[in-house]
Amino acid sequence: MEPLYGPIRDYAWGSRSAIALLQGRPVPSAGPEAELWLGAHPGGPATVDRAGLRVSLCDLVRDEPGQWLGQQVSERFGGRLPFLLKVLAADAPLSLQAHPDAEQARAGYEAEAGLPAEQRNYSDPHHKPELLVALTPFEALCGFRDPGESAEALAAFGVPELAPVVAALRDGPAGLATAVRTLLNWPVARRHELLGAVVSASADSPDAELAHRLAKAYPGDPGVLVALLLHHVRLVPGEGIWMPAGNLHAYLSGCGVEIMAASDNVLRGGLTPKRVDVDELLRVLRFEVLDEPVRAAQPVGPGVDWWPVPVDDFALHRVRVDAALPSVTLPLPGPRVVLCAEGSITVDDGAGALTLVSGEAAIGTAAGEPLRIGGAGVAYVATSGLR
């Protein structure tokens, strides 16, 4: 195993404490720290030591795909590391967004060939399903809830302009598309007026509290009302949320480990100053109720659990070792990225043992032996989902 050094992205919604505390650095940090990236995504590749220099993992995988990926992963994913492991730390809501499936991503990327970057929705031809597991209490909006519940939430505000949206939602899932389209296409000149009426309404409920919070952060943004159509979940550490293609979601607060297919295709619908393409978002959204967005960890052996997902780009395991269980062996094929999330652990894939403390990461090639993790701490292990 080799040390892996990930860049920290300084998006404005990031925390000034969560990642710093994880890595044992002074708090508050100098600026917002939103995401720690541990992968080979060209937008922020991690690095590995080579002869005293930090070398991009993108370059190593490109030059030696057989060693780093192995034949099966290399052939299946076109010679690229198919997953990106992150630590995500949010102090403010992220954008309301969804991701395309593989077919939509390919078609969208090809259709936008030649457009300037600022006019593109698709930066690559890949899908981007994602799984987030909470490290701290974590709050999120994810997937459409029962439209009848959403109808009652909006009706409780007593705002006449929302009547067509309420009526559409009372038609059940068939009315979701109409409701979302109506809200996102609300005339710009009247958005502040509409949201002003909503936030001044006397409704006393969790939905009203959420609308007030979001409207304060994003005045005049129609995504505030679209957010009320989604499940509002609060995760405890260890719980996960799975976001397949086409599901509308937004992370609100907290710190978690996130693993996703290595893509940067994001279609935004609000709660952001960034580019919003309502028509394209509506084209990829799945207007169906997400019955249960929260996923509990499933044990697979002593000290080891995971959150199974129906894609082969990635898999995420959590390993917990202590005095009662001082070591665990994982027969997971490479490539493997390991993040120490708590305590101090030793990782060994037969190519050399390495000690990691909280916030540090390591990578092993596809040629490694079964992964052995020892010590006293918690580790998250990212691999491809191929077996």
Side-chain angles (χ1 to χ4, degrees), residues 77-326:
F77 297 104
R80 63 188 184 91
L81 186 67
F83 60 83
L84 173 60
L85 183 68
K86 295 181 179 180
V87 176
L88 183 148
D91 263 4
L94 281 68
S95 60
L96 195 65
Q97 60 187 259
H99 309 297
D101 63 26
E103 182 178 348
Q104 290 166 339
R106 283 193 299 269
Y109 183 72
E110 292 172 1
E112 293 180 347
L115 289 179
E118 64 273 12
Q119 297 178 22
R120 297 179 66 101
N121 292 303
Y122 299 91
S123 60
D124 57 68
H126 308 297
H127 69 165
K128 191 188 176 186
E130 55 192 36
L131 168 74
L132 183 138
V133 176
L135 291 176
T136 69
F138 197 94
E139 188 180 8
L141 303 168
C142 46
F144 290 113
R145 63 175 174 172
D146 184 297
E149 295 179 9
S150 301
E152 296 312 307
L154 294 186
F157 291 115
V159 177
E161 290 85 352
L162 291 177
V165 178
V166 172
L169 292 170
R170 285 177 173 158
D171 283 341
L176 275 172
T178 298
V180 174
R181 182 180 296 276
T182 300
L183 291 173
L184 291 182
N185 285 301
W186 203 268
V188 174
R190 300 197 58 202
R191 289 177 182 175
H192 282 277
E193 178 185 350
L194 173 63
L195 287 177
V198 168
V199 299
S200 63
S202 59
D204 182 16
S205 69
D207 293 294
E209 188 275 333
L210 176 62
H212 287 207
R213 282 174 54 197
L214 296 179
K216 183 177 180 180
Y218 297 99
D221 192 316
V224 170
L225 294 176
V226 178
L228 301 184
L229 311 186
L230 307 180
H231 292 283
H232 184 189
V233 301
R234 292 176 173 86
L235 307 178
V236 300
E239 287 185 324
I241 43 178
W242 159 243
M243 285 292 99
N247 273 271
L248 198 59
H249 62 284
Y251 300 146
L252 302 181
S253 66
C255 183
V257 172
E258 187 178 31
I259 188 168
M260 61 188 63
S263 168
D264 202 26
N265 286 325
V266 179
L267 295 161
R268 299 177 179 88
L271 308 184
T272 180
K274 296 183 179 180
R275 172 182 169 81
V276 173
D277 187 330
V278 171
D279 289 339
E280 189 63 15
L281 174 68
L282 293 172
R283 194 180 72 81
V284 305
L285 280 183
R286 294 181 179 175
F287 292 103
E288 57 194 27
V289 175
L290 184 63
D291 291 328
E292 181 48 69
V294 178
R295 297 204 168 194
Q298 297 187 12
V300 294
V304 183
D305 42 31
W306 77 321
W307 299 261
V309 294
V311 295
D312 60 8
D313 304 75
F314 59 80
L316 183 68
H317 290 75
R318 180 179 59 188
V319 177
R320 290 177 283 192
V321 288
D322 52 28
L325 183 66

Side-chain angles (χ1 to χ4, degrees), residues 1 22 72 101 110 210 327 336 376 383:
M1 300 293 289
L22 180 71
Q72 185 183 24
D101 63 26
E110 292 172 1
L210 176 62
S327 67
R336 293 163 289 198
T383 66

Side-chain angles (χ1 to χ4, degrees), residues 322-387:
D322 52 28
L325 183 66
S327 67
V328 166
T329 299
L330 293 176
L332 299 173
R336 293 163 289 198
V337 173
V338 181
L339 168 69
C340 180
E342 183 180 322
S344 175
I345 62 170
T346 299
V347 292
D348 188 356
D349 65 350
L354 181 66
T355 297
L356 303 175
V357 297
S358 180
E360 293 182 337
I363 188 168
T365 69
E369 299 173 2
L371 183 63
R372 296 186 296 278
I373 299 179
V378 178
Y380 286 85
V381 182
T383 66
S384 83
L386 295 176
R387 296 292 181 264

